Amino acid sequence: MTRTVVATDEAPAPPAPLSQGIRKGPVLQVSGQLPFHPDTGDIVGTTVAEQTAQVLRNVTAVLKAGGAGLADVVMLRVHLTDPAHLPELNEAYAAAVGEPFPARTTVYMRLPPGVLVEIDALAVLDD
């Protein structure tokens, strides 16, 4: 199986040596997306809800570029800076992702200044 780089201008360019996504066969891994606007590179929003919405727009753009959508996602990994943000994240996440929800892991870590959330996705397509 060939490993294919997935890239789109609809999500921010990676700030590090990584791909926005990689597809191998029916599996598509989307790298962790941050709340950056794809055109300006600026952080979108100051709240977890605002940033979560932008992050999921970026995730969705990479999924689309790889031939997938949120319905193909089997796992989302969420990285938050503060456990106190979990209720706000859950509300924004539920509104954006919708049911049935994919599996999810949430971890807490330090992120770049001003960034409150990062999300990556694993999708499996019906090839």
Side-chain angles (χ1 to χ4, degrees):
M1 267 183 248
T2 303
R3 187 174 76 155
T4 305
V5 173
V6 175
T8 179
D9 292 337
E10 299 296 315
L18 54 96
S19 299
Q20 289 175 321
I22 293 288
R23 182 166 175 184
K24 188 167 184 179
V27 176
L28 171 58
Q29 176 67 55
V30 175
S31 291
Q33 296 294 305
L34 299 171
F36 297 136
H37 190 281
D39 295 330
T40 66
D42 294 334
I43 294 174
V44 174
T46 57
T47 68
V48 171
E50 293 167 331
Q51 290 193 13
T52 298
Q54 182 61 47
V55 167
L56 288 170
R57 282 191 293 272
N58 294 341
V59 167
T60 301
V62 179
L63 287 167
K64 182 179 176 184
L70 284 173
D72 299 303
V73 172
V74 296
M75 178 68 168
L76 286 165
R77 282 169 290 268
V78 176
H79 306 268
L80 283 175
T81 58
D82 186 339
H85 294 156
L86 188 59
E88 186 179 354
L89 168 100
N90 281 336
E91 187 174 325
Y93 174 93
V97 174
E99 293 187 42
F101 299 114
R104 187 179 102 189
T105 298
T106 304
V107 297
Y108 303 99
M109 62 181 289
R110 185 181 315 206
L111 292 168
V115 174
L116 304 173
V117 63
E118 176 179 6
I119 301 174
D120 70 274
L122 178 65
V124 179
L125 290 82
D126 296 326
D127 273 356

